[in-house]
Amino acid sequence: MAGPEGLAALEARVRRDLALIAYPESEWVPPRFTAGGERVLDVLIVGGGQGGQAVAAGLQRERVTNVLVIDRAARGQEGPWRTYARMETLRSWKTVTGPDLDVPSLTFQSWYEAQRGAAAFEALGKIPKGLWQDYLLWTRDVLALPVRNGVDLLRVEPDGGYLRAYVRVAGRDESLAARKIVLAMGIERSGRWWMPELLERLPADRRAHTGDAIDFGRLAGKRVVVVGAGASAFDNAATALEHDAAEVRLLCRRPELQRVQPYKAISYPGFLRHFAALDDATRWRFMDHLLTVREALPRETWERCTRHPNFHLHTGAALLDAGVRAGEVRLATAAGELAADFVIAGTGFAMDLASRAELAGLAQHAATWGDRYLPPPGEENPRLAAYPYLGPGFELSERTPGAAPCLADVHLFDFGATMSFGPSGSSINAMKFAVPRLVGAPTRDLFRADAGEHYRRMVEYRTPEFPLTFARDER
Ligand SMILES: Cc1cc2nc3c(=O)[nH]c(=O)nc-3n(C[C@H](O)[C@H](O)[C@H](O)COP(=O)(O)OP(=O)(O)OC[C@H]3O[C@@H](n4cnc5c(N)ncnc54)[C@H](O)[C@@H]3O)c2cc1C
């Protein structure tokens, strides 16, 4: 029996597939320069994780090539997969597509089968998280995406009709001019990781957030409490157990653990592609349910914790008080008192665009759902109201017209897009639908802004298809 085709053969197949769908091939965006003569990027993408990469790949397919992707992380350390993601496998199913932008040879399955064969893919459960990162790097390389690592975006400002991105590279400050900026900086980046103030006040060596780097080796023999009952909370509980914590107690505020995965009920093309076409009242109602019920954890994660005899689940255990007494953390909960050595907050993130330093001076002008939509009595939800209200191409919209027109050139591709588009930014499952939609926005705006120049180019186009000599005279 023949073995797997190997990566070199697959890469040749990718090149062939891309050539087959390359039409039309002309690059078309006229170059722009600042008053000082600096070439302006057509699109700057901040974040070289799966989202930023896929947007870059989509722009490349649309022949917009004056694009740069920056990421402050080192190559291979982008996103959560090799940093703070503490699950063993992705939560998505293994046939999920997205970074491939519908090119079959670019899918995870093709990449995996090329190296290990179809039977191995058949036998695979879910995708190990490290393999997902390796696959993302492979797509980056095979598509030759323009990613610069080690470049940290500090802030964005309008500058002479363009956007100026101030960045830090190896301790040096630089700046980049861009016509469009796509912010794909990670799932929590329309706000920030959040923990209850009660935990925030604990000494820093006694608590961490699941989004932090945590030295789990230090938790061996220790009593650990995890606050929160989502998938990441359980992943962190499991990691502590696997590092020989003496016990792990997980506090779930609700009387029962969420076991139903509401996202499964909306994972179909109609919803994922067309949610944004619904009116605000209907979008609000859908999201009120989805973002209130929240996600269930996968079965593997549940079993990874509950196979340990020293794992304890406390339901109906809302946190009431926290402090350090006699050398230990004392927690008062609605289900009783607990003592611990270390507390991990699995409490997710708070939506708060105004807190983003990268958008200081701009974010306060961006409209939120609370600015644009007043729900009927009984449907109020301050959590939803805090989400940014995005325009049809994921662009920020102004709270007051004229206050910060450059917001229309800032496209947000993280979880903050969820109220406006449903699952979209920072979601593997929705990439297939969300990325082409996002890519269509900067290309539309660039084309419209340059319509005069495109008209001139058309009128001045002078290349004849044939010479005026008669064919019979050409011997
Ligand atoms: C633990 C965990 C598990 C998940 N599992 C799944 C799953 O199974 N299925 C699913 O559909 N979704 C899952 N998600 C959601 C989503 O797929 C991931 O969050 C994914 O990483 C989002 O991709 P992204 O490109 O938007 O952001 P990221 O992958 O986080 O990439 C953002 C990048 O931006 C860079 N960056 C941030 N700020 C700056 C700055 N100022 N300057 C320069 N660079 C910057 C970061 O270094 C990072 O590399 C999971 C999320 C988490 C947190």
Side-chain angles (χ1 to χ4, degrees), residues 46-52 70-73 77-81 84-87 90-92 151-154 184-187 189 193 232 235 358 413-414 425-429:
V46 187
Q50 62 190 27
I70 58 170
D71 199 299
R72 64 182 176 195
Q77 297 298 308
E78 301 89 350
W81 316 115
Y84 66 89
R86 300 191 174 104
M87 69 281 190
L90 295 195
R91 298 166 190 152
S92 304
V151 184
D152 192 0
L153 173 72
L154 305 177
M185 301 191 295
I187 192 164
R189 285 315 184 92
W193 296 121
S232 284
D235 289 332
E358 296 91 339
F413 202 48
D414 59 39
S426 290
S427 158
I428 304 170
N429 307 344

Short mmCIF file of all heavy atoms in Angstrom, two decimals, residues 46-52 70-73 77-81 84-87 90-92 151-154 184-187 189 193 232 235 358 413-414 425-429, ligand 1:
data_model
loop_
_atom_site.label_atom_id
_atom_site.label_comp_id
_atom_site.label_asym_id
_atom_site.label_seq_id
_atom_site.Cartn_x
_atom_site.Cartn_y
_atom_site.Cartn_z
N VAL A 46 -3.10 43.49 12.58
CA VAL A 46 -2.43 43.34 13.87
C VAL A 46 -2.87 42.02 14.49
O VAL A 46 -4.05 41.83 14.81
CB VAL A 46 -2.75 44.51 14.81
CG1 VAL A 46 -1.90 44.40 16.08
CG2 VAL A 46 -2.51 45.84 14.12
N GLY A 47 -1.93 41.10 14.62
CA GLY A 47 -2.22 39.76 15.14
C GLY A 47 -1.97 38.72 14.06
O GLY A 47 -2.62 38.73 13.01
N GLY A 48 -0.98 37.87 14.32
CA GLY A 48 -0.65 36.81 13.35
C GLY A 48 -1.15 35.46 13.80
O GLY A 48 -0.56 34.44 13.48
N GLY A 49 -2.24 35.45 14.56
CA GLY A 49 -2.91 34.20 14.89
C GLY A 49 -3.73 33.74 13.69
O GLY A 49 -3.58 34.26 12.58
N GLN A 50 -4.59 32.76 13.93
CA GLN A 50 -5.35 32.20 12.81
C GLN A 50 -6.20 33.25 12.10
O GLN A 50 -6.31 33.23 10.86
CB GLN A 50 -6.25 31.08 13.32
CG GLN A 50 -7.28 31.58 14.32
CD GLN A 50 -8.05 30.47 15.03
OE1 GLN A 50 -7.55 29.37 15.18
NE2 GLN A 50 -9.27 30.77 15.45
N GLY A 51 -6.78 34.21 12.85
CA GLY A 51 -7.66 35.20 12.25
C GLY A 51 -6.90 36.16 11.35
O GLY A 51 -7.26 36.37 10.19
N GLY A 52 -5.82 36.74 11.89
CA GLY A 52 -5.02 37.68 11.11
C GLY A 52 -4.44 37.03 9.87
O GLY A 52 -4.44 37.62 8.78
N ILE A 70 1.49 42.00 11.64
CA ILE A 70 2.48 42.08 12.74
C ILE A 70 1.97 41.29 13.93
O ILE A 70 0.76 41.19 14.16
CB ILE A 70 2.78 43.55 13.15
CG1 ILE A 70 1.51 44.29 13.59
CG2 ILE A 70 3.49 44.28 12.03
CD1 ILE A 70 1.79 45.64 14.24
N ASP A 71 2.89 40.73 14.67
CA ASP A 71 2.54 40.03 15.91
C ASP A 71 3.66 40.24 16.91
O ASP A 71 4.83 40.12 16.58
CB ASP A 71 2.34 38.53 15.67
CG ASP A 71 1.54 37.90 16.80
OD1 ASP A 71 2.01 37.93 17.96
OD2 ASP A 71 0.44 37.40 16.54
N ARG A 72 3.26 40.55 18.13
CA ARG A 72 4.30 40.81 19.13
C ARG A 72 4.97 39.53 19.61
O ARG A 72 6.08 39.57 20.13
CB ARG A 72 3.73 41.59 20.30
CG ARG A 72 2.67 40.87 21.09
CD ARG A 72 2.20 41.82 22.16
NE ARG A 72 1.12 41.30 22.94
CZ ARG A 72 0.37 42.04 23.74
NH1 ARG A 72 0.57 43.33 23.82
NH2 ARG A 72 -0.57 41.50 24.43
N ALA A 73 4.30 38.40 19.41
CA ALA A 73 4.87 37.13 19.87
C ALA A 73 5.94 36.65 18.90
O ALA A 73 5.97 37.05 17.74
CB ALA A 73 3.76 36.09 19.98
N GLN A 77 4.62 31.16 18.71
CA GLN A 77 4.00 31.45 20.01
C GLN A 77 2.76 32.32 19.85
O GLN A 77 2.22 32.82 20.83
CB GLN A 77 5.01 32.19 20.90
CG GLN A 77 6.25 31.38 21.22
CD GLN A 77 5.92 30.11 21.99
OE1 GLN A 77 5.23 30.14 23.01
NE2 GLN A 77 6.37 28.98 21.48
N GLU A 78 2.29 32.50 18.63
CA GLU A 78 1.11 33.34 18.41
C GLU A 78 -0.13 32.64 18.98
O GLU A 78 -0.24 31.41 18.93
CB GLU A 78 0.89 33.59 16.91
CG GLU A 78 2.05 34.26 16.20
CD GLU A 78 3.05 33.26 15.65
OE1 GLU A 78 2.95 32.06 15.99
OE2 GLU A 78 3.95 33.68 14.90
N GLY A 79 -1.05 33.45 19.49
CA GLY A 79 -2.32 32.88 19.94
C GLY A 79 -2.16 32.04 21.20
O GLY A 79 -1.10 32.04 21.84
N PRO A 80 -3.24 31.32 21.55
CA PRO A 80 -3.22 30.61 22.84
C PRO A 80 -2.61 29.21 22.78
O PRO A 80 -2.30 28.64 23.81
CB PRO A 80 -4.72 30.48 23.16
CG PRO A 80 -5.40 30.43 21.83
CD PRO A 80 -4.55 31.27 20.90
N TRP A 81 -2.42 28.67 21.57
CA TRP A 81 -2.23 27.21 21.46
C TRP A 81 -1.01 26.71 22.18
O TRP A 81 -1.02 25.61 22.74
CB TRP A 81 -2.23 26.79 19.98
CG TRP A 81 -3.33 27.47 19.22
CD1 TRP A 81 -3.18 28.36 18.20
CD2 TRP A 81 -4.75 27.35 19.43
NE1 TRP A 81 -4.40 28.81 17.77
CE2 TRP A 81 -5.38 28.20 18.51
CE3 TRP A 81 -5.54 26.61 20.31
CZ2 TRP A 81 -6.78 28.33 18.44
CZ3 TRP A 81 -6.92 26.75 20.25
CH2 TRP A 81 -7.52 27.59 19.32
N TYR A 84 -1.38 29.86 26.69
CA TYR A 84 -2.28 29.69 27.83
C TYR A 84 -3.45 28.74 27.57
O TYR A 84 -4.28 28.55 28.46
CB TYR A 84 -2.79 31.06 28.31
CG TYR A 84 -3.69 31.75 27.31
CD1 TYR A 84 -5.06 31.54 27.30
CD2 TYR A 84 -3.16 32.62 26.36
CE1 TYR A 84 -5.89 32.17 26.39
CE2 TYR A 84 -3.97 33.25 25.44
CZ TYR A 84 -5.33 33.02 25.47
OH TYR A 84 -6.12 33.63 24.55
N ALA A 85 -3.52 28.13 26.39
CA ALA A 85 -4.59 27.13 26.15
C ALA A 85 -4.17 25.85 26.87
O ALA A 85 -3.12 25.29 26.54
CB ALA A 85 -4.77 26.89 24.66
N ARG A 86 -4.96 25.39 27.80
CA ARG A 86 -4.53 24.25 28.62
C ARG A 86 -5.39 23.02 28.40
O ARG A 86 -5.42 22.11 29.21
CB ARG A 86 -4.49 24.66 30.11
CG ARG A 86 -3.53 25.81 30.29
CD ARG A 86 -3.16 26.19 31.67
NE ARG A 86 -2.12 27.22 31.61
CZ ARG A 86 -2.34 28.51 31.84
NH1 ARG A 86 -3.53 28.95 32.19
NH2 ARG A 86 -1.35 29.37 31.73
N MET A 87 -6.09 23.02 27.25
CA MET A 87 -6.78 21.78 26.89
C MET A 87 -5.81 20.91 26.11
O MET A 87 -4.76 21.39 25.67
CB MET A 87 -8.06 22.08 26.09
CG MET A 87 -7.86 22.63 24.72
SD MET A 87 -7.46 24.37 24.71
CE MET A 87 -7.61 24.71 22.97
N LEU A 90 -8.26 20.73 20.46
CA LEU A 90 -9.26 21.76 20.16
C LEU A 90 -10.61 21.27 20.61
O LEU A 90 -10.86 20.07 20.71
CB LEU A 90 -9.33 22.02 18.65
CG LEU A 90 -8.14 22.60 17.92
CD1 LEU A 90 -8.56 23.10 16.55
CD2 LEU A 90 -7.49 23.71 18.70
N ARG A 91 -11.49 22.23 20.84
CA ARG A 91 -12.87 21.86 21.19
C ARG A 91 -13.67 21.63 19.91
O ARG A 91 -14.70 20.97 19.93
CB ARG A 91 -13.49 22.96 22.05
CG ARG A 91 -12.70 23.12 23.35
CD ARG A 91 -13.04 24.39 24.09
NE ARG A 91 -12.09 24.59 25.18
CZ ARG A 91 -11.74 25.77 25.66
NH1 ARG A 91 -12.28 26.86 25.17
NH2 ARG A 91 -10.87 25.86 26.64
N SER A 92 -13.23 22.21 18.82
CA SER A 92 -13.93 22.03 17.52
C SER A 92 -13.74 20.61 17.03
O SER A 92 -12.80 19.92 17.42
CB SER A 92 -13.33 22.96 16.48
OG SER A 92 -13.38 24.28 16.92
N VAL A 151 6.74 42.44 16.75
CA VAL A 151 6.32 43.83 16.53
C VAL A 151 5.05 44.08 17.34
O VAL A 151 4.01 43.47 17.09
CB VAL A 151 6.05 44.12 15.03
CG1 VAL A 151 5.72 45.59 14.82
CG2 VAL A 151 7.25 43.71 14.19
N ASP A 152 5.16 44.95 18.31
CA ASP A 152 4.07 45.18 19.27
C ASP A 152 3.35 46.48 18.92
O ASP A 152 3.98 47.55 18.91
CB ASP A 152 4.70 45.27 20.67
CG ASP A 152 3.68 45.21 21.78
OD1 ASP A 152 2.48 45.10 21.47
OD2 ASP A 152 4.10 45.29 22.95
N LEU A 153 2.06 46.40 18.64
CA LEU A 153 1.31 47.64 18.39
C LEU A 153 1.06 48.35 19.71
O LEU A 153 0.51 47.77 20.64
CB LEU A 153 -0.04 47.33 17.73
CG LEU A 153 -0.95 48.55 17.59
CD1 LEU A 153 -0.43 49.49 16.49
CD2 LEU A 153 -2.39 48.15 17.32
N LEU A 154 1.45 49.61 19.76
CA LEU A 154 1.22 50.38 20.99
C LEU A 154 -0.06 51.20 20.86
O LEU A 154 -0.87 51.25 21.77
CB LEU A 154 2.40 51.31 21.27
CG LEU A 154 3.78 50.63 21.36
CD1 LEU A 154 4.87 51.66 21.57
CD2 LEU A 154 3.78 49.60 22.48
N ALA A 184 -6.84 41.92 14.88
CA ALA A 184 -7.14 40.50 15.15
C ALA A 184 -6.20 40.06 16.27
O ALA A 184 -5.38 39.17 16.11
CB ALA A 184 -6.93 39.66 13.89
N MET A 185 -6.34 40.72 17.40
CA MET A 185 -5.33 40.61 18.47
C MET A 185 -5.68 39.54 19.51
O MET A 185 -4.98 39.42 20.51
CB MET A 185 -5.16 41.96 19.15
CG MET A 185 -4.72 43.06 18.19
SD MET A 185 -4.19 44.58 19.02
CE MET A 185 -5.71 45.12 19.79
N GLY A 186 -6.77 38.82 19.29
CA GLY A 186 -7.09 37.74 20.23
C GLY A 186 -8.50 37.87 20.79
O GLY A 186 -9.10 38.95 20.76
N ILE A 187 -8.97 36.79 21.34
CA ILE A 187 -10.38 36.65 21.71
C ILE A 187 -10.85 37.73 22.69
O ILE A 187 -11.97 38.22 22.60
CB ILE A 187 -10.64 35.22 22.27
CG1 ILE A 187 -12.12 34.92 22.39
CG2 ILE A 187 -9.92 34.99 23.59
CD1 ILE A 187 -12.43 33.45 22.56
N ARG A 189 -9.64 40.80 23.11
CA ARG A 189 -9.06 42.10 22.82
C ARG A 189 -10.03 43.24 22.51
O ARG A 189 -9.59 44.36 22.25
CB ARG A 189 -8.03 41.96 21.72
CG ARG A 189 -6.73 41.32 22.22
CD ARG A 189 -6.36 41.98 23.53
NE ARG A 189 -5.12 41.52 24.04
CZ ARG A 189 -3.95 42.10 23.80
NH1 ARG A 189 -3.88 43.15 23.02
NH2 ARG A 189 -2.87 41.63 24.34
N TRP A 193 -9.03 40.44 30.00
CA TRP A 193 -9.32 39.35 30.93
C TRP A 193 -9.88 39.96 32.21
O TRP A 193 -9.41 41.00 32.66
CB TRP A 193 -8.05 38.55 31.26
CG TRP A 193 -7.44 37.85 30.10
CD1 TRP A 193 -6.18 38.00 29.61
CD2 TRP A 193 -8.05 36.84 29.27
NE1 TRP A 193 -5.98 37.18 28.53
CE2 TRP A 193 -7.11 36.45 28.30
CE3 TRP A 193 -9.31 36.23 29.25
CZ2 TRP A 193 -7.37 35.50 27.32
CZ3 TRP A 193 -9.58 35.28 28.28
CH2 TRP A 193 -8.63 34.92 27.34
N SER A 232 -12.32 26.64 29.93
CA SER A 232 -10.97 27.01 30.34
C SER A 232 -10.76 26.79 31.83
O SER A 232 -9.67 26.40 32.27
CB SER A 232 -10.67 28.47 29.99
OG SER A 232 -10.44 28.58 28.62
N ASP A 235 -10.06 23.21 32.12
CA ASP A 235 -8.73 22.89 31.58
C ASP A 235 -7.65 23.21 32.62
O ASP A 235 -6.68 22.48 32.78
CB ASP A 235 -8.43 23.72 30.32
CG ASP A 235 -9.27 23.28 29.13
OD1 ASP A 235 -9.65 22.11 29.07
OD2 ASP A 235 -9.53 24.15 28.26
N GLU A 358 -4.28 50.33 22.79
CA GLU A 358 -3.99 50.48 21.36
C GLU A 358 -4.94 51.48 20.70
O GLU A 358 -4.64 52.04 19.65
CB GLU A 358 -4.13 49.13 20.63
CG GLU A 358 -3.12 48.06 21.07
CD GLU A 358 -3.64 47.19 22.20
OE1 GLU A 358 -4.59 47.61 22.92
OE2 GLU A 358 -3.11 46.09 22.37
N PHE A 413 -11.66 42.21 14.47
CA PHE A 413 -11.89 40.79 14.20
C PHE A 413 -11.52 39.96 15.44
O PHE A 413 -10.52 39.26 15.46
CB PHE A 413 -11.08 40.36 12.97
CG PHE A 413 -11.62 39.13 12.31
CD1 PHE A 413 -12.97 39.01 12.02
CD2 PHE A 413 -10.78 38.08 11.97
CE1 PHE A 413 -13.48 37.87 11.42
CE2 PHE A 413 -11.27 36.94 11.36
CZ PHE A 413 -12.63 36.84 11.08
N ASP A 414 -12.34 40.13 16.48
CA ASP A 414 -12.17 39.31 17.68
C ASP A 414 -13.56 39.02 18.23
O ASP A 414 -14.56 39.27 17.55
CB ASP A 414 -11.24 40.00 18.69
CG ASP A 414 -11.75 41.35 19.14
OD1 ASP A 414 -12.98 41.50 19.34
OD2 ASP A 414 -10.94 42.28 19.30
N GLY A 425 -15.34 36.67 14.60
CA GLY A 425 -13.95 36.88 14.98
C GLY A 425 -13.57 35.94 16.10
O GLY A 425 -14.42 35.56 16.92
N SER A 426 -12.29 35.53 16.13
CA SER A 426 -11.80 34.60 17.17
C SER A 426 -12.67 33.37 17.30
O SER A 426 -13.05 32.97 18.40
CB SER A 426 -11.68 35.32 18.51
OG SER A 426 -10.60 36.24 18.47
N SER A 427 -12.99 32.76 16.19
CA SER A 427 -13.73 31.50 16.20
C SER A 427 -13.27 30.68 15.00
O SER A 427 -13.33 31.17 13.87
CB SER A 427 -15.23 31.77 16.10
OG SER A 427 -15.90 30.63 15.63
N ILE A 428 -12.80 29.47 15.26
CA ILE A 428 -12.42 28.63 14.12
C ILE A 428 -13.67 28.25 13.34
O ILE A 428 -13.71 28.30 12.11
CB ILE A 428 -11.71 27.35 14.59
CG1 ILE A 428 -10.50 27.69 15.45
CG2 ILE A 428 -11.29 26.50 13.41
CD1 ILE A 428 -9.88 26.49 16.16
N ASN A 429 -14.70 27.89 14.09
CA ASN A 429 -15.91 27.34 13.47
C ASN A 429 -16.56 28.30 12.48
O ASN A 429 -17.24 27.87 11.56
CB ASN A 429 -16.93 26.97 14.55
CG ASN A 429 -16.33 26.07 15.62
OD1 ASN A 429 -15.26 25.50 15.41
ND2 ASN A 429 -17.00 25.94 16.74
C1 LIG B 1 -8.18 28.24 25.53
C2 LIG B 1 -8.93 28.48 24.25
C3 LIG B 1 -9.39 27.42 23.48
C4 LIG B 1 -10.10 27.64 22.30
N1 LIG B 1 -10.56 26.60 21.56
C5 LIG B 1 -11.31 26.83 20.45
C6 LIG B 1 -11.83 25.77 19.65
O1 LIG B 1 -11.60 24.62 19.90
N2 LIG B 1 -12.60 26.09 18.57
C7 LIG B 1 -12.88 27.39 18.23
O2 LIG B 1 -13.60 27.63 17.25
N3 LIG B 1 -12.36 28.40 18.95
C8 LIG B 1 -11.61 28.14 20.05
N4 LIG B 1 -11.11 29.19 20.76
C9 LIG B 1 -11.44 30.55 20.31
C10 LIG B 1 -10.51 31.04 19.19
O3 LIG B 1 -10.45 30.09 18.14
C11 LIG B 1 -9.10 31.32 19.68
O4 LIG B 1 -9.13 32.30 20.68
C12 LIG B 1 -8.16 31.78 18.56
O5 LIG B 1 -6.86 31.82 19.05
C13 LIG B 1 -8.57 33.13 18.01
O6 LIG B 1 -7.71 33.45 16.96
P1 LIG B 1 -7.27 34.96 16.71
O7 LIG B 1 -6.39 34.96 15.54
O8 LIG B 1 -8.48 35.80 16.70
O9 LIG B 1 -6.45 35.36 18.02
P2 LIG B 1 -5.11 34.75 18.59
O10 LIG B 1 -4.90 33.38 18.10
O11 LIG B 1 -5.15 34.95 20.07
O12 LIG B 1 -3.99 35.66 17.95
C14 LIG B 1 -3.89 37.02 18.28
C15 LIG B 1 -2.46 37.45 18.11
O13 LIG B 1 -2.39 38.86 18.26
C16 LIG B 1 -1.16 39.18 18.86
N5 LIG B 1 -1.26 40.49 19.49
C17 LIG B 1 -2.10 40.85 20.49
N6 LIG B 1 -1.91 42.13 20.80
C18 LIG B 1 -0.96 42.61 19.97
C19 LIG B 1 -0.35 43.86 19.81
N7 LIG B 1 -0.69 44.92 20.55
N8 LIG B 1 0.63 43.99 18.85
C20 LIG B 1 0.98 42.93 18.09
N9 LIG B 1 0.43 41.71 18.21
C21 LIG B 1 -0.54 41.56 19.13
C22 LIG B 1 -0.93 38.07 19.86
O14 LIG B 1 0.45 37.92 20.15
C23 LIG B 1 -1.53 36.86 19.14
O15 LIG B 1 -0.55 36.05 18.52
C24 LIG B 1 -10.38 28.96 21.91
C25 LIG B 1 -9.89 30.04 22.67
C26 LIG B 1 -9.18 29.80 23.83
C27 LIG B 1 -8.70 30.99 24.62
#
